[in-house]
Amino acid sequence: MTKAIAYLRVSTQAQGKSGLGIEAQRDAIARFAQTEGIEIIAAFEEHETGKGSDALDRRPQLAAALTAARKAKCPVIVSKLDRLSRDVHFISGLMAQRVPFIVAELGADADPFMLHLYAALAEKERSLIAERTRVALAAKKAQRVQLGNRTNLAEAQAKGAATNAEKAGAFAAKVLPIIKSIPGSLNAKAKELNARGIATATGNGAWTAKAVQRVMQRAA
């Protein structure tokens, strides 16, 4: 069975923390590998924009994937070409690393020439979109059209606050019976909640005495 290294990337820290995009990439690579009879021997995950001339220097996981691929004498697989870059010069630089790349979306037969071609088309499309946006904004500005929806900002903020409060209240009502069933102090309750694996309202971090107190006060 052919071996390969998987490389996954999301463009922002926020996406990285939430998991947005990474699971979809992982699933796409897994399906492709299974179909093509490829064994994924390692996976490297990056949370970085990776733009600019020094993009590779700011993407240590990609550099690590290249090193691992060279050592194993196998290709690097990505789900889509833009997970590497939309910059044709960056793609050219990667090709110079003498490590073959496979883009699951394009198929196993996409050679370096095709990758350069798709990267050039993506770069051109990005340039055209940016230019159309610039022209449209300039036209609106010339017509003295106020950009943005500033008049509804306060209303949107109020709705957001109300939605958050509603979610917090629903969470408090759900977890309060569990909290009440645990004897002892707030610290003891927090410790037991963590031991039981009960998630906090945000789903991140651990229960504290203060967090338990907030839930009890909100439910009250």
Side-chain angles (χ1 to χ4, degrees):
M1 179 179 286
T2 302
K3 297 180 179 180
I5 302 292
Y7 175 70
L8 309 94
R9 180 177 71 92
V10 287
S11 299
T12 65
Q13 288 292 339
Q15 284 181 328
K17 290 178 180 178
S18 66
L20 296 175
I22 286 292
E23 288 304 322
Q25 293 175 54
R26 186 175 288 111
D27 290 344
I29 291 174
R31 289 194 302 269
F32 175 82
Q34 183 177 18
T35 300
E36 298 293 331
I38 298 173
E39 178 188 2
I40 303 298
I41 59 175
F44 295 83
E45 182 179 316
E46 198 103 65
H47 301 164
E48 177 57 62
T49 58
K51 296 178 180 178
S53 59
D54 63 339
L56 185 57
D57 293 335
R58 292 186 286 108
R59 285 164 64 173
Q61 292 305 306
L62 177 55
L66 291 170
T67 299
R70 277 192 292 267
K71 184 176 181 180
K73 296 181 180 180
C74 69
V76 172
I77 296 181
V78 295
S79 59
K80 294 183 178 183
L81 186 60
D82 64 4
R83 295 306 82 201
L84 289 175
S85 178
R86 293 187 181 92
D87 188 297
V88 67
H89 297 296
F90 186 78
I91 296 297
S92 297
L94 289 179
M95 297 301 107
Q97 298 289 325
R98 299 185 181 278
V99 172
F101 282 89
I102 297 177
V103 180
E105 185 181 48
L106 302 180
D109 297 328
D111 57 25
F113 173 76
M114 290 180 63
L115 296 184
H116 278 88
L117 181 59
Y118 279 108
L121 291 173
E123 186 176 290
K124 183 63 175 178
E125 181 184 20
R126 183 178 58 183
S127 176
L128 290 174
I129 291 173
E131 178 62 17
R132 287 196 295 266
T133 301
R134 187 191 66 78
V135 171
L137 290 174
K140 292 292 185 181
K141 187 175 181 179
Q143 297 170 9
R144 296 185 178 180
V145 174
Q146 187 179 37
L147 301 177
N149 191 11
R150 301 178 183 178
T151 57
N152 293 333
L153 179 59
E155 180 181 350
Q157 290 176 333
K159 288 183 178 180
T163 299
N164 290 338
E166 183 178 349
K167 290 181 179 179
F171 174 79
K174 180 180 178 181
V175 78
L176 184 62
I178 301 175
I179 292 176
K180 286 184 174 180
S181 70
I182 301 173
S185 65
L186 294 175
N187 281 322
K189 292 177 184 292
K191 185 176 181 180
E192 180 62 21
L193 287 170
N194 289 324
R196 295 186 187 184
I198 306 297
T200 60
T202 62
N204 299 318
W207 283 95
T208 63
K210 185 174 290 186
V212 172
Q213 185 179 43
R214 281 198 298 268
V215 169
M216 295 178 69
Q217 290 174 342
R218 181 174 291 277

